[in-house]
Amino acid sequence: MQVDFAGIKLKNPVMPASGCFGYGKEYAKYYDLSELGAIIVKATTVSPRLGNPTPRVAEVCAGMLNSIGLANPGVDQVVKKELPWLRQFELPIIVNVAGDTVEDYCFVTEKLCQSGLVDAIELNVSCPNVEQGGMAFGVDAGVLAELTTAVKKVCSVPLIVKLSPNVSDIVQIAQAAEAAGADALSLINTLVGMKIDLMSRKPILARGVGGLSGPAIKSVAVRMVYQVYKAVKIPILGVGGITTGLDAIEFIMAGATAVSVGTANFTDPYACPRIIKEIKAYMEKEGIKDLSEIRGCAHVLS
Amino acid sequence: MLLHVSENKEVAKGIWEMHLSGDFPFENVQPGQFIHILIGSGREHVLRRPISIAAIEAEKETLVIVFRVVGEGTDWLAKRVEGDVLDVLGPLGTGFPLTTKQKILIVGGGIGVPPLYELIKRLWQQGNEIYCLLGFRNSDDVFWVEKFKEYGTVTTYTDDGSFGEKGLVTQRIAEDFLEKNWSNVYACGPVPMLKELKGIVANFSVEGYFSLEERMACGVGACYGCVCNNQRVCVEGPVFPMREVVL
């Protein structure tokens, strides 16, 4: 079950996805977080953010829309309160970083790295729920390369870039991030969606649009991991609609080194440990000793 | 945890009363807390449905919920029959703080009425004097009024006067307050009702608690989907001190 992800040793390839697990406290009531391969905590910004007006969530068929808007207490609080608490568990801590400007991203990354409490940074260039920054950095290869280069200079831990699926050519974006120094890629963030309430005849979400996640996006995510795996050399963290161990295996066959689990935590608070067990059961049943045996195996010419 | 349905019946138009039994920390439930119910396998409906606990019958190891069918999830719940099993998280959230030997006003509107039932029962057990106002759209929507009457003086309102008084639950509170001199107010119902109530009781010295509703995802405080005034409705709420509630 062990994997090496961009130099980080993971006891298993499963980690909760950013924004779906807070800072771990809530789910620590349900199980020992040390069971996880790693944790990716909520997007962190320079200053505290309250997020968007409610409603911020809506269910759609086999998925959900969210427009939380990066609500978080700001990097100082995260370093002072949240990360030291998380350190009691034996697991790598990855912090998702967001901002409005290149300077914001660099500032937060530097503070996190200086704290010595993080094992990797996940660059959020794909949040569809903010007016500035967020996805704007992830849909243009040139802009993304510039940001990645700048952050890489101040980042003393592995840098993972989380890509947006809301682009016409994911391969071009992925290659731009790799060329600019990304140590790994996270694919995919949410797809932009909308749900209209037939009673009010208006969008349900206060902000109109939100990010679609859950089983509904899994096949899009698998396809993007598959495409990008062929085009880059850096490892991929597969994310998008993973609900079972078999879903995770599908991502690994497409080329993912590790996976993260988002919406499934809401459906089942025990989703991550269950998925870990299901992967293990699959490996035993298929006689797989190391996940590298099946990584990328879906590629005809690999 | 898994609870089985011991009863499920329609008590008013589109409003269902479901009894759930099994291994649940019944003794620890505060009135106003909720359970978070998985719909089907969770593959199609990825979000659980938060439903407030309406009554606890600890001796029967049963809890009762009352819900309105508003969409696919609650429609699925309405179709459950005796013996069906539900995957439930809970009890979740922060409920109503109790008090003793006070003069209490309880105000409920529509599907906001159910969580107030376990509350009125407990407040009655603690020796409070309770006055209760319940509002419904019309006589088709009315439920549980008789049950509330066991624990206090109840006045019922409907928008069209087809049951009880005609009008809004809030319409006489201001004048009655002078006479009844309530010390505590508890409420759950539509936002316009809570807004009106908050405005009225602001003129009096009273301790108030409102239970709020918000679209929810995780139900355990991780996602920040359901916030009100930067507080999580699923953890710090759904019951908030009235003065902290921004409507």
mmCIF file of all heavy atoms in Angstrom, chain A residues 69-103:
data_model
loop_
_atom_site.group_PDB
_atom_site.id
_atom_site.type_symbol
_atom_site.label_atom_id
_atom_site.label_comp_id
_atom_site.label_asym_id
_atom_site.label_seq_id
_atom_site.Cartn_x
_atom_site.Cartn_y
_atom_site.Cartn_z
ATOM 1 N N GLY A 69 -16.329 29.414 -1.080
ATOM 2 C CA GLY A 69 -15.594 30.667 -1.245
ATOM 3 C C GLY A 69 -14.377 30.791 -0.352
ATOM 4 O O GLY A 69 -14.039 31.878 0.114
ATOM 5 N N LEU A 70 -13.706 29.644 -0.121
ATOM 6 C CA LEU A 70 -12.417 29.647 0.586
ATOM 7 C C LEU A 70 -12.481 30.213 2.005
ATOM 8 O O LEU A 70 -11.556 30.881 2.467
ATOM 9 C CB LEU A 70 -11.341 30.407 -0.216
ATOM 10 C CG LEU A 70 -11.112 29.958 -1.669
ATOM 11 C CD1 LEU A 70 -10.046 30.840 -2.308
ATOM 12 C CD2 LEU A 70 -10.698 28.493 -1.733
ATOM 13 N N ALA A 71 -13.588 29.965 2.689
ATOM 14 C CA ALA A 71 -13.683 30.392 4.091
ATOM 15 C C ALA A 71 -12.532 29.765 4.870
ATOM 16 O O ALA A 71 -12.331 28.550 4.816
ATOM 17 C CB ALA A 71 -15.021 29.947 4.683
ATOM 18 N N ASN A 72 -11.747 30.577 5.559
ATOM 19 C CA ASN A 72 -10.635 30.049 6.386
ATOM 20 C C ASN A 72 -10.144 31.132 7.315
ATOM 21 O O ASN A 72 -10.376 32.315 7.077
ATOM 22 C CB ASN A 72 -9.502 29.500 5.488
ATOM 23 C CG ASN A 72 -8.582 30.584 4.977
ATOM 24 O OD1 ASN A 72 -7.536 30.851 5.550
ATOM 25 N ND2 ASN A 72 -8.985 31.252 3.902
ATOM 26 N N PRO A 73 -9.471 30.739 8.398
ATOM 27 C CA PRO A 73 -9.072 31.735 9.413
ATOM 28 C C PRO A 73 -7.792 32.510 9.080
ATOM 29 O O PRO A 73 -7.349 33.317 9.902
ATOM 30 C CB PRO A 73 -8.879 30.882 10.669
ATOM 31 C CG PRO A 73 -8.508 29.537 10.156
ATOM 32 C CD PRO A 73 -9.193 29.365 8.836
ATOM 33 N N GLY A 74 -7.222 32.260 7.894
ATOM 34 C CA GLY A 74 -5.999 32.971 7.540
ATOM 35 C C GLY A 74 -4.761 32.211 7.980
ATOM 36 O O GLY A 74 -4.792 31.419 8.928
ATOM 37 N N VAL A 75 -3.652 32.439 7.285
ATOM 38 C CA VAL A 75 -2.457 31.612 7.469
ATOM 39 C C VAL A 75 -1.900 31.666 8.900
ATOM 40 O O VAL A 75 -1.433 30.652 9.433
ATOM 41 C CB VAL A 75 -1.368 31.946 6.418
ATOM 42 C CG1 VAL A 75 -0.840 33.365 6.582
ATOM 43 C CG2 VAL A 75 -0.222 30.939 6.477
ATOM 44 N N ASP A 76 -1.971 32.838 9.552
ATOM 45 C CA ASP A 76 -1.390 32.927 10.899
ATOM 46 C C ASP A 76 -2.094 31.981 11.876
ATOM 47 O O ASP A 76 -1.442 31.280 12.646
ATOM 48 C CB ASP A 76 -1.469 34.371 11.421
ATOM 49 C CG ASP A 76 -0.456 35.271 10.721
ATOM 50 O OD1 ASP A 76 0.528 34.724 10.182
ATOM 51 O OD2 ASP A 76 -0.660 36.500 10.705
ATOM 52 N N GLN A 77 -3.411 31.988 11.833
ATOM 53 C CA GLN A 77 -4.183 31.100 12.700
ATOM 54 C C GLN A 77 -3.919 29.634 12.363
ATOM 55 O O GLN A 77 -3.822 28.785 13.258
ATOM 56 C CB GLN A 77 -5.689 31.362 12.545
ATOM 57 C CG GLN A 77 -6.235 32.454 13.413
ATOM 58 C CD GLN A 77 -6.024 32.163 14.890
ATOM 59 O OE1 GLN A 77 -5.094 32.684 15.482
ATOM 60 N NE2 GLN A 77 -6.867 31.319 15.478
ATOM 61 N N VAL A 78 -3.831 29.350 11.076
ATOM 62 C CA VAL A 78 -3.614 27.967 10.646
ATOM 63 C C VAL A 78 -2.286 27.455 11.198
ATOM 64 O O VAL A 78 -2.190 26.346 11.719
ATOM 65 C CB VAL A 78 -3.665 27.859 9.102
ATOM 66 C CG1 VAL A 78 -3.207 26.490 8.627
ATOM 67 C CG2 VAL A 78 -5.085 28.148 8.604
ATOM 68 N N VAL A 79 -1.258 28.302 11.107
ATOM 69 C CA VAL A 79 0.071 27.915 11.598
ATOM 70 C C VAL A 79 0.084 27.809 13.121
ATOM 71 O O VAL A 79 0.697 26.916 13.702
ATOM 72 C CB VAL A 79 1.139 28.925 11.112
ATOM 73 C CG1 VAL A 79 2.447 28.749 11.864
ATOM 74 C CG2 VAL A 79 1.362 28.763 9.606
ATOM 75 N N LYS A 80 -0.633 28.727 13.769
ATOM 76 C CA LYS A 80 -0.602 28.775 15.227
ATOM 77 C C LYS A 80 -1.469 27.694 15.865
ATOM 78 O O LYS A 80 -1.089 27.089 16.865
ATOM 79 C CB LYS A 80 -1.093 30.170 15.684
ATOM 80 C CG LYS A 80 -0.371 30.691 16.906
ATOM 81 C CD LYS A 80 -0.641 32.170 17.137
ATOM 82 C CE LYS A 80 -1.912 32.365 17.935
ATOM 83 N NZ LYS A 80 -2.309 33.784 18.021
ATOM 84 N N LYS A 81 -2.654 27.492 15.294
ATOM 85 C CA LYS A 81 -3.617 26.614 15.967
ATOM 86 C C LYS A 81 -3.839 25.262 15.292
ATOM 87 O O LYS A 81 -3.795 24.225 15.941
ATOM 88 C CB LYS A 81 -4.974 27.332 16.071
ATOM 89 C CG LYS A 81 -5.120 28.129 17.350
ATOM 90 C CD LYS A 81 -6.497 28.774 17.440
ATOM 91 C CE LYS A 81 -7.634 27.771 17.587
ATOM 92 N NZ LYS A 81 -8.956 28.444 17.550
ATOM 93 N N GLU A 82 -4.118 25.309 13.984
ATOM 94 C CA GLU A 82 -4.586 24.086 13.332
ATOM 95 C C GLU A 82 -3.462 23.071 13.086
ATOM 96 O O GLU A 82 -3.604 21.897 13.384
ATOM 97 C CB GLU A 82 -5.282 24.426 11.996
ATOM 98 C CG GLU A 82 -6.378 25.486 12.118
ATOM 99 C CD GLU A 82 -7.559 25.044 12.965
ATOM 100 O OE1 GLU A 82 -7.652 23.844 13.302
ATOM 101 O OE2 GLU A 82 -8.382 25.922 13.316
ATOM 102 N N LEU A 83 -2.352 23.544 12.539
ATOM 103 C CA LEU A 83 -1.300 22.600 12.173
ATOM 104 C C LEU A 83 -0.626 21.939 13.378
ATOM 105 O O LEU A 83 -0.371 20.731 13.353
ATOM 106 C CB LEU A 83 -0.269 23.267 11.256
ATOM 107 C CG LEU A 83 -0.849 23.816 9.935
ATOM 108 C CD1 LEU A 83 0.255 24.428 9.080
ATOM 109 C CD2 LEU A 83 -1.581 22.740 9.155
ATOM 110 N N PRO A 84 -0.340 22.704 14.458
ATOM 111 C CA PRO A 84 0.265 22.040 15.624
ATOM 112 C C PRO A 84 -0.629 20.925 16.171
ATOM 113 O O PRO A 84 -0.145 19.868 16.575
ATOM 114 C CB PRO A 84 0.409 23.177 16.643
ATOM 115 C CG PRO A 84 0.453 24.417 15.831
ATOM 116 C CD PRO A 84 -0.420 24.157 14.646
ATOM 117 N N TRP A 85 -1.938 21.145 16.147
ATOM 118 C CA TRP A 85 -2.869 20.114 16.614
ATOM 119 C C TRP A 85 -2.783 18.867 15.726
ATOM 120 O O TRP A 85 -2.743 17.734 16.211
ATOM 121 C CB TRP A 85 -4.307 20.666 16.612
ATOM 122 C CG TRP A 85 -5.303 19.656 17.063
ATOM 123 C CD1 TRP A 85 -5.664 19.365 18.338
ATOM 124 C CD2 TRP A 85 -6.052 18.754 16.233
ATOM 125 N NE1 TRP A 85 -6.588 18.346 18.350
ATOM 126 C CE2 TRP A 85 -6.846 17.960 17.089
ATOM 127 C CE3 TRP A 85 -6.130 18.545 14.846
ATOM 128 C CZ2 TRP A 85 -7.710 16.969 16.606
ATOM 129 C CZ3 TRP A 85 -6.978 17.563 14.360
ATOM 130 C CH2 TRP A 85 -7.761 16.787 15.232
ATOM 131 N N LEU A 86 -2.722 19.104 14.412
ATOM 132 C CA LEU A 86 -2.676 17.980 13.469
ATOM 133 C C LEU A 86 -1.395 17.161 13.600
ATOM 134 O O LEU A 86 -1.361 15.979 13.267
ATOM 135 C CB LEU A 86 -2.754 18.512 12.037
ATOM 136 C CG LEU A 86 -4.078 18.422 11.299
ATOM 137 C CD1 LEU A 86 -3.901 18.975 9.891
ATOM 138 C CD2 LEU A 86 -4.599 16.989 11.244
ATOM 139 N N ARG A 87 -0.346 17.807 14.074
ATOM 140 C CA ARG A 87 0.959 17.142 14.176
ATOM 141 C C ARG A 87 0.976 15.956 15.135
ATOM 142 O O ARG A 87 1.887 15.141 15.120
ATOM 143 C CB ARG A 87 2.040 18.154 14.580
ATOM 144 C CG ARG A 87 2.734 18.799 13.412
ATOM 145 C CD ARG A 87 3.630 17.804 12.685
ATOM 146 N NE ARG A 87 3.965 18.262 11.343
ATOM 147 C CZ ARG A 87 4.057 17.458 10.289
ATOM 148 N NH1 ARG A 87 3.827 16.184 10.392
ATOM 149 N NH2 ARG A 87 4.389 17.934 9.114
ATOM 150 N N GLN A 88 -0.046 15.855 16.006
ATOM 151 C CA GLN A 88 -0.103 14.713 16.927
ATOM 152 C C GLN A 88 -0.316 13.397 16.180
ATOM 153 O O GLN A 88 -0.070 12.325 16.719
ATOM 154 C CB GLN A 88 -1.223 14.911 17.947
ATOM 155 C CG GLN A 88 -2.619 14.822 17.331
ATOM 156 C CD GLN A 88 -3.719 15.063 18.328
ATOM 157 O OE1 GLN A 88 -4.004 14.230 19.162
ATOM 158 N NE2 GLN A 88 -4.326 16.231 18.245
ATOM 159 N N PHE A 89 -0.793 13.497 14.947
ATOM 160 C CA PHE A 89 -1.043 12.276 14.175
ATOM 161 C C PHE A 89 0.162 11.965 13.297
ATOM 162 O O PHE A 89 0.882 12.861 12.882
ATOM 163 C CB PHE A 89 -2.287 12.442 13.303
ATOM 164 C CG PHE A 89 -3.518 12.749 14.099
ATOM 165 C CD1 PHE A 89 -3.980 14.055 14.219
ATOM 166 C CD2 PHE A 89 -4.197 11.736 14.767
ATOM 167 C CE1 PHE A 89 -5.110 14.340 14.977
ATOM 168 C CE2 PHE A 89 -5.318 12.014 15.529
ATOM 169 C CZ PHE A 89 -5.778 13.322 15.640
ATOM 170 N N GLU A 90 0.324 10.677 13.019
ATOM 171 C CA GLU A 90 1.435 10.283 12.165
ATOM 172 C C GLU A 90 0.997 10.333 10.721
ATOM 173 O O GLU A 90 0.590 9.320 10.154
ATOM 174 C CB GLU A 90 1.871 8.863 12.532
ATOM 175 C CG GLU A 90 2.742 8.815 13.770
ATOM 176 C CD GLU A 90 3.016 7.385 14.166
ATOM 177 O OE1 GLU A 90 3.274 6.558 13.282
ATOM 178 O OE2 GLU A 90 2.929 7.114 15.376
ATOM 179 N N LEU A 91 1.009 11.517 10.158
ATOM 180 C CA LEU A 91 0.676 11.601 8.744
ATOM 181 C C LEU A 91 1.202 12.898 8.147
ATOM 182 O O LEU A 91 1.266 13.920 8.828
ATOM 183 C CB LEU A 91 -0.836 11.476 8.503
ATOM 184 C CG LEU A 91 -1.782 12.656 8.673
ATOM 185 C CD1 LEU A 91 -3.155 12.287 8.184
ATOM 186 C CD2 LEU A 91 -1.868 13.074 10.105
ATOM 187 N N PRO A 92 1.626 12.824 6.881
ATOM 188 C CA PRO A 92 2.093 14.029 6.217
ATOM 189 C C PRO A 92 0.953 15.045 6.091
ATOM 190 O O PRO A 92 -0.187 14.678 5.828
ATOM 191 C CB PRO A 92 2.521 13.531 4.835
ATOM 192 C CG PRO A 92 2.715 12.060 4.989
ATOM 193 C CD PRO A 92 1.745 11.631 6.033
ATOM 194 N N ILE A 93 1.291 16.308 6.303
ATOM 195 C CA ILE A 93 0.294 17.375 6.208
ATOM 196 C C ILE A 93 0.554 18.192 4.935
ATOM 197 O O ILE A 93 1.650 18.709 4.734
ATOM 198 C CB ILE A 93 0.360 18.302 7.436
ATOM 199 C CG1 ILE A 93 0.073 17.509 8.712
ATOM 200 C CG2 ILE A 93 -0.607 19.473 7.285
ATOM 201 C CD1 ILE A 93 0.312 18.291 9.992
ATOM 202 N N ILE A 94 -0.472 18.256 4.121
ATOM 203 C CA ILE A 94 -0.388 19.055 2.902
ATOM 204 C C ILE A 94 -1.364 20.212 3.065
ATOM 205 O O ILE A 94 -2.507 20.004 3.459
ATOM 206 C CB ILE A 94 -0.750 18.197 1.663
ATOM 207 C CG1 ILE A 94 0.187 16.982 1.580
ATOM 208 C CG2 ILE A 94 -0.699 19.036 0.384
ATOM 209 C CD1 ILE A 94 -0.183 15.974 0.510
ATOM 210 N N VAL A 95 -0.896 21.419 2.800
ATOM 211 C CA VAL A 95 -1.790 22.570 2.950
ATOM 212 C C VAL A 95 -2.082 23.162 1.582
ATOM 213 O O VAL A 95 -1.182 23.421 0.784
ATOM 214 C CB VAL A 95 -1.187 23.646 3.881
ATOM 215 C CG1 VAL A 95 -2.145 24.829 4.010
ATOM 216 C CG2 VAL A 95 -0.897 23.062 5.259
ATOM 217 N N ASN A 96 -3.363 23.345 1.328
ATOM 218 C CA ASN A 96 -3.816 23.964 0.089
ATOM 219 C C ASN A 96 -3.693 25.480 0.242
ATOM 220 O O ASN A 96 -4.110 26.045 1.252
ATOM 221 C CB ASN A 96 -5.271 23.532 -0.148
ATOM 222 C CG ASN A 96 -5.830 24.016 -1.468
ATOM 223 O OD1 ASN A 96 -6.178 25.168 -1.608
ATOM 224 N ND2 ASN A 96 -5.933 23.108 -2.425
ATOM 225 N N VAL A 97 -3.098 26.119 -0.750
ATOM 226 C CA VAL A 97 -2.831 27.558 -0.667
ATOM 227 C C VAL A 97 -3.591 28.296 -1.771
ATOM 228 O O VAL A 97 -3.548 27.896 -2.932
ATOM 229 C CB VAL A 97 -1.314 27.824 -0.806
ATOM 230 C CG1 VAL A 97 -1.032 29.315 -0.979
ATOM 231 C CG2 VAL A 97 -0.562 27.275 0.400
ATOM 232 N N ALA A 98 -4.289 29.371 -1.379
ATOM 233 C CA ALA A 98 -5.027 30.160 -2.361
ATOM 234 C C ALA A 98 -4.733 31.639 -2.166
ATOM 235 O O ALA A 98 -4.236 32.050 -1.109
ATOM 236 C CB ALA A 98 -6.526 29.905 -2.230
ATOM 237 N N GLY A 99 -5.035 32.424 -3.175
ATOM 238 C CA GLY A 99 -4.789 33.858 -3.070
ATOM 239 C C GLY A 99 -5.367 34.622 -4.238
ATOM 240 O O GLY A 99 -5.856 34.037 -5.210
ATOM 241 N N ASP A 100 -5.320 35.942 -4.109
ATOM 242 C CA ASP A 100 -5.820 36.808 -5.177
ATOM 243 C C ASP A 100 -4.709 37.200 -6.150
ATOM 244 O O ASP A 100 -4.964 37.523 -7.303
ATOM 245 C CB ASP A 100 -6.401 38.111 -4.587
ATOM 246 C CG ASP A 100 -7.605 37.870 -3.695
ATOM 247 O OD1 ASP A 100 -8.188 36.774 -3.796
ATOM 248 O OD2 ASP A 100 -7.945 38.767 -2.911
ATOM 249 N N THR A 101 -3.475 37.212 -5.617
ATOM 250 C CA THR A 101 -2.349 37.665 -6.437
ATOM 251 C C THR A 101 -1.172 36.707 -6.273
ATOM 252 O O THR A 101 -1.157 35.898 -5.345
ATOM 253 C CB THR A 101 -1.850 39.056 -5.970
ATOM 254 O OG1 THR A 101 -1.369 38.914 -4.619
ATOM 255 C CG2 THR A 101 -2.964 40.099 -6.000
ATOM 256 N N VAL A 102 -0.181 36.819 -7.154
ATOM 257 C CA VAL A 102 1.025 36.002 -7.049
ATOM 258 C C VAL A 102 1.684 36.227 -5.686
ATOM 259 O O VAL A 102 2.119 35.283 -5.027
ATOM 260 C CB VAL A 102 2.022 36.347 -8.195
ATOM 261 C CG1 VAL A 102 3.349 35.618 -7.998
ATOM 262 C CG2 VAL A 102 1.414 36.007 -9.542
ATOM 263 N N GLU A 103 1.692 37.484 -5.243
ATOM 264 C CA GLU A 103 2.309 37.823 -3.956
ATOM 265 C C GLU A 103 1.606 37.100 -2.806
ATOM 266 O O GLU A 103 2.256 36.635 -1.872
ATOM 267 C CB GLU A 103 2.270 39.347 -3.713
ATOM 268 C CG GLU A 103 3.162 40.170 -4.639
ATOM 269 C CD GLU A 103 2.664 40.239 -6.082
ATOM 270 O OE1 GLU A 103 1.427 40.224 -6.295
ATOM 271 O OE2 GLU A 103 3.509 40.276 -6.994
#
